[in-house]
Amino acid sequence: MAKKFSELRAAMSPEARAQAAELAQTMLSEMPLHELRQARGLSQKMLADVLHVQQPSIAKMEKRTDMYLSTLRSHIQAMGGELEVIARFPDGAVKISNFAELGAPTQAAMPS
């Protein structure tokens, strides 16, 4: 018979519980866009309505590996978040501030 998760967790050592909590936090802090949308309780249709696009556009965007920062920012803002660009180096991290106030891209900047 299956055991309850609370029983399994109670049987774990404090070290194992701490390690599991750290792993869970890492998994929650790094996820693809589609998982982030799902974690926020949004469907592709709901997000498409907020962004005034069709649902297939959301599906396509979530599969992309390269996009404009303005596109990603719009996607994140539609989910209620804020996009920050951070460069990480061995000696520390730096938030790149000149992307914070980018407006909508101009037609000249859009690919054909």
Side-chain angles (χ1 to χ4, degrees), residues 1-84:
M1 178 150 205
K3 291 187 177 185
K4 292 183 179 178
F5 180 72
S6 58
E7 293 173 7
L8 294 171
R9 184 177 47 217
M12 295 170 67
S13 70
E15 295 83 16
R17 281 195 300 264
Q19 187 178 16
E22 185 178 327
L23 179 59
Q25 186 57 46
T26 299
M27 292 172 75
L28 288 172
S29 68
E30 299 177 12
M31 62 179 72
L33 276 177
H34 76 279
E35 288 182 14
L36 176 59
R37 175 186 46 77
Q38 292 169 343
R40 303 285 301 165
L42 298 168
S43 68
Q44 287 182 344
K45 175 71 172 123
M46 293 165 66
L47 194 57
D49 290 344
V50 172
L51 291 170
H52 306 291
V53 298
Q54 298 295 313
Q55 176 274 327
S57 297
I58 300 300
K60 184 177 177 182
M61 186 184 331
E62 289 179 347
K63 291 178 184 169
R64 294 182 71 176
T65 57
D66 190 16
M67 68 180 75
Y68 285 117
L69 286 175
S70 57
T71 302
L72 181 57
R73 179 185 303 103
S74 297
H75 199 88
I76 297 299
Q77 287 175 338
M79 290 189 269
E82 181 179 327
L83 180 66
E84 292 183 348

